[in-house]
Amino acid sequence: MLTIRQMRYFDALATARHFGRAAEMVSISQPALSAQIAEMERHFQARLVERNRNGALLTPSGEALLPDIRAILQSIDALEERARRVSGVLEGRLRLGIIPTVAPYLVPRLIPMLRQRYQKLDVELRELMTPACIDDVKHGRLDCAITALPQNDESLRSLHLFEDRFLIASAADENTVLVSPMAEAQVDMDRLLLLEEGHCMRDQALAVCGTSAGRRVANYGATSMATLLQMVSHGMGITLIPQIAVKDEHTRNRMRIVPFTEPQPSRQIGLIWRNRSGRDNDHTALAAVISDAAAPLLAE
């Protein structure tokens, strides 16, 4: 018998095209995901997924089935949202996306606060880069997401959460002492390390420091903020660090962190959701908790 859970796992696999990443998306182990997909294949008596070393591809039978599966899941999600509208605020399931340069610092503070204030809420977290967050919110795979603003898609609504200042980080024993405060034009682009392509903070860092007049950037893109700051602490370069990361990362890495001159560059972080989701009250309440959780991290 085909189950809703199996359909959600199949949808995640069709999105990620990789068993490991799909398992992370739905918060189960990879063997459990594989077993449920195999059960679906036995139900339909057809191979739905082609497994290979690089990931997973849908077979023609799987591709043909996918639109119907997603239509069913959208109908189920719509029914769940209707049920939530007649219940209390922040009750039941909430699928929340969050960008990687915010998640490690905010989530450990946010989840306990949500559990304390909204005991009937079941939060499903997914860490994704900004384009994936936006796409998943638009197509109903996420209810809302914490991303950088602005987002200009007319189908989405956004609510500002907090301003996150940028600072400059270098190794504590760096030979070249950073001026404090530092002007944006003083940043040594030859030594500036950035996150890899796809991270919105990479584009924000380039916008802050500029690439005009032949200024070039160190040829390396880190996959995470943690990797980037470990490289910095070992003297491999300098980087921009958002204020929200400073308290946690300063205790883990031997770094010197200095501010920029006024007006200090920053990014705006907000909560986005679909215009027609009918959950404005939920998202307004969620935004208030997120802001409270972030406040201690942003204090001077």
Side-chain angles (χ1 to χ4, degrees), residues 188-202:
D188 185 353
M189 297 297 288
D190 289 339
R191 303 195 64 238
L192 182 65
L193 301 176
L194 300 172
L195 291 168
E196 66 181 0
E197 295 282 353
H199 286 272
C200 58
M201 196 175 144
R202 176 187 176 90

Side-chain angles (χ1 to χ4, degrees), residues 39-254:
E39 185 64 31
M40 278 188 69
E41 291 178 325
R42 284 192 290 271
H43 176 80
F44 287 103
Q45 297 184 348
R47 179 65 62 85
L48 304 177
V49 179
E50 177 186 337
R51 299 155 175 83
N52 56 51
R53 291 183 179 179
N54 297 323
L57 299 173
L58 297 189
T59 65
S61 296
E63 291 285 3
L65 183 64
L66 182 61
D68 291 335
I69 292 288
R70 286 182 166 167
I72 292 170
L73 291 176
Q74 287 177 1
S75 296
I76 292 169
D77 290 341
L79 287 173
E80 289 179 348
E81 287 187 4
R82 184 175 298 176
R84 280 191 291 265
R85 286 199 292 270
V86 299
S87 62
V89 173
L90 286 180
E91 293 184 356
R93 186 171 68 131
L94 180 82
R95 299 164 299 170
L96 173 64
I98 183 167
I99 56 177
T101 54
V102 171
Y105 317 110
L106 181 62
V107 167
R109 294 161 176 82
L110 174 62
I111 296 305
M113 198 173 287
L114 282 171
R115 287 174 176 167
Q116 180 182 18
R117 297 187 189 182
Y118 299 99
Q119 298 178 7
K120 296 182 179 180
L121 180 65
D122 179 19
V123 180
E124 296 179 10
L125 285 174
R126 192 175 301 170
E127 184 178 309
L128 299 166
M129 289 191 281
T130 296
C133 276
I134 294 171
D135 189 67
D136 279 7
V137 170
K138 287 178 62 176
H139 292 93
R141 294 186 289 270
L142 289 174
D143 297 307
C144 54
I146 300 171
T147 69
L149 298 179
Q151 302 295 345
N152 300 316
D153 194 301
E154 293 183 355
S155 68
L156 301 178
R157 183 169 297 182
S158 65
L159 189 62
H160 183 266
L161 296 172
F162 54 85
E163 180 179 21
D164 195 11
R165 295 185 302 125
F166 288 125
L167 302 96
I168 282 283
S170 68
D173 55 359
E174 177 71 44
N175 291 328
T176 303
V177 177
L178 298 182
V179 177
S180 180
M182 173 173 279
E184 294 168 18
Q186 293 176 304
V187 176
D188 185 353
M189 297 297 288
D190 289 339
R191 303 195 64 238
L192 182 65
L193 301 176
L194 300 172
L195 291 168
E196 66 181 0
E197 295 282 353
H199 286 272
C200 58
M201 196 175 144
R202 176 187 176 90
D203 299 329
Q204 292 159 350
L206 290 172
V208 168
C209 301
T211 55
S212 59
R215 306 181 80 196
R216 53 194 180 88
V217 184
N219 187 24
Y220 186 86
T223 58
S224 70
M225 180 63 65
T227 300
L228 197 65
L229 294 173
Q230 285 181 17
M231 293 172 62
V232 168
S233 69
H234 285 85
M236 297 177 65
I238 61 175
T239 195
L240 267 68
I241 180 173
Q243 179 70 47
I244 198 170
V246 168
K247 288 188 177 180
D248 286 349
E249 296 294 353
H250 209 189
T251 60
R252 288 195 287 258
N253 298 288
R254 296 180 63 254

